[in-house]
Amino acid sequence: MRIARFDGGRIGVVVGEDIVDVSAAAGVTPGEWPPVGPVRLIRDFDALRPAIEAAAATGAKLPLASVRLETPVPWPNKVIAYPVNYHAHGNEMQAGYRATNQGFFLKPNSSLSGPADPIVLPHVPGREVHHEAELGIIIGKTARGVAREDWKDYVFGYACLMDMVVRGREERVFRKAYDTFCPVGPWIVTADAVPDPQALEFKLWVVKPDGSRELRQHANTRDLVLDIPGMVATASAVMTLQPGDIIASGTPQGVGPIVAGDTVHIWIQDVGEMTVPVVQGTEGATEVFADTYVPPIVKQPLG
Ligand code: MN
């Protein structure tokens, strides 16, 4: 099942090229604040599923193209992100460590945005903002100390995720915290509809205003350094996971700069695809980024 959020906090089931509003069956109040309905929906999904499926089968279909899709879980308990989780990306960044050495960091929930929200580049002259294509993993149940072999019991579903970053050597969380630096969408595909999340091909293109497309990233989740069971086990060893928590699983090789006017297109096998426009913002200047970072980061060419 593909579960989307749209038009001001409505919950929809995506059926083909249409979407059916199932907000009532899902127990979600559009426009609520804080928008935690999706978290409860995920917690209660097993019990709600028959009613949601019935509503999806009988409700009015709206063309997907006629609605504004929003980030599926706008108010999770936390967004967990694994750095340097593909060897080839570690190599291109000349990083001598991997997620298996570093663990994870957190992205602020306020960095979450949806497929229809542009990525707003902060005003940080002289710095590059890079895209990182990642599989987003949505946690389904409260959990602490999950054993590797039990990981599937705690995963609700999957989504496309972009971990945006101001490239540099300052605190990683700081550089990844800007508003709109965590687009997630276009929906959550429930885990039962993703046969093998540990063998998902995925790609990211940057599309220029003239329509030309550059394939920047192309990888497969089978090449994760810390695999999905390991990510669930590691995060839950430290923190209590909650329904709706999001794991950004790490990016493969091919990260690179985006500029205003670009559109970033991500596709993940069995999950979906979304295109996110990039605009230049006026906010975001900070003395932290006033100095050139030393030593410079030199990306290695892909082998
Ligand atoms: Mn990342």
Side-chain angles (χ1 to χ4, degrees):
M1 186 183 291
R2 292 179 288 171
I3 302 173
R5 189 167 157 271
F6 70 105
D7 288 358
R10 297 183 173 281
I11 300 298
V13 171
V14 177
V15 182
E17 294 301 310
D18 298 316
I19 187 168
V20 181
D21 190 336
V22 298
S23 300
V28 172
T29 305
E32 67 174 350
W33 193 93
V36 292
V39 172
R40 280 197 303 269
L41 162 60
I42 291 168
R43 181 195 64 179
D44 299 337
F45 186 71
D46 290 346
L48 293 170
R49 185 164 191 158
I52 292 171
E53 287 178 338
T58 57
K61 291 181 176 177
L62 299 165
L64 256 182
S66 71
V67 306
R68 188 179 191 282
L69 292 176
E70 296 162 345
T71 201
V73 187
W75 204 277
N77 186 252
K78 52 195 166 292
V79 179
I80 302 156
Y82 284 90
V84 197
N85 209 8
Y86 290 85
H87 286 299
H89 174 58
N91 293 341
E92 74 175 348
M93 300 308 289
Q94 303 180 71
Y97 52 83
R98 298 292 182 264
T100 40
N101 312 118
Q102 286 236 314
F104 54 79
F105 62 98
L106 299 176
K107 280 178 80 85
N109 298 342
S110 51
S111 66
L112 288 165
S113 58
D117 305 319
I119 294 165
V120 181
L121 300 176
H123 181 67
V124 286
R127 292 304 182 99
E128 291 181 349
V129 174
H130 282 198
H131 54 78
E132 297 188 349
E134 309 198 6
L135 175 69
I137 302 161
I138 317 301
I139 295 296
K141 290 184 168 65
T142 300
R144 183 82 201 275
V146 177
R148 274 187 60 89
E149 57 268 28
D150 295 333
W151 70 276
K152 279 189 176 175
D153 296 342
Y154 298 94
V155 173
F156 177 73
Y158 303 92
C160 300
L161 185 150
M162 300 179 193
D163 177 17
M164 307 305 301
V165 57
V166 178
R167 204 50 83 189
R169 296 194 184 280
E170 298 82 1
E171 173 61 54
R172 180 187 273 130
V173 169
F174 182 86
R175 293 183 289 103
K176 290 173 175 265
Y178 281 98
D179 284 1
T180 74
F181 268 27
C182 196
V184 175
W187 41 66
I188 298 171
V189 177
T190 52
D192 59 292
V194 180
D196 189 358
Q198 304 207 78
L200 294 178
E201 185 181 3
F202 63 110
K203 298 181 182 180
L204 181 144
W205 300 259
V206 171
V207 186
K208 292 298 180 182
D210 67 3
S212 61
R213 302 165 60 79
E214 182 184 353
L215 178 62
R216 294 272 186 91
Q217 299 187 272
H218 183 187
N220 192 295
T221 57
R222 72 166 66 93
D223 294 321
L224 282 162
V225 178
L226 181 63
D227 61 7
I228 300 174
M231 286 190 268
V232 173
T234 300
S236 71
V238 178
M239 305 179 293
T240 299
L241 304 183
Q242 298 293 353
D245 281 0
I246 299 169
I247 297 177
S249 54
T251 199
Q253 71 279 13
V255 300
I258 56 168
V259 298
D262 288 348
T263 302
V264 190
H265 182 182
I266 184 173
W267 166 84
I268 302 180
Q269 175 190 351
D270 296 335
V271 174
E273 60 190 312
M274 63 178 181
T275 57
V276 181
V278 181
V279 302
Q280 179 62 54
T282 56
E283 296 183 294
T286 157
E287 63 187 275
V288 174
F289 291 137
D291 295 329
T292 305
Y293 46 87
V294 178
I297 292 173
V298 181
K299 257 188 67 180
Q300 296 301 291
L302 297 176

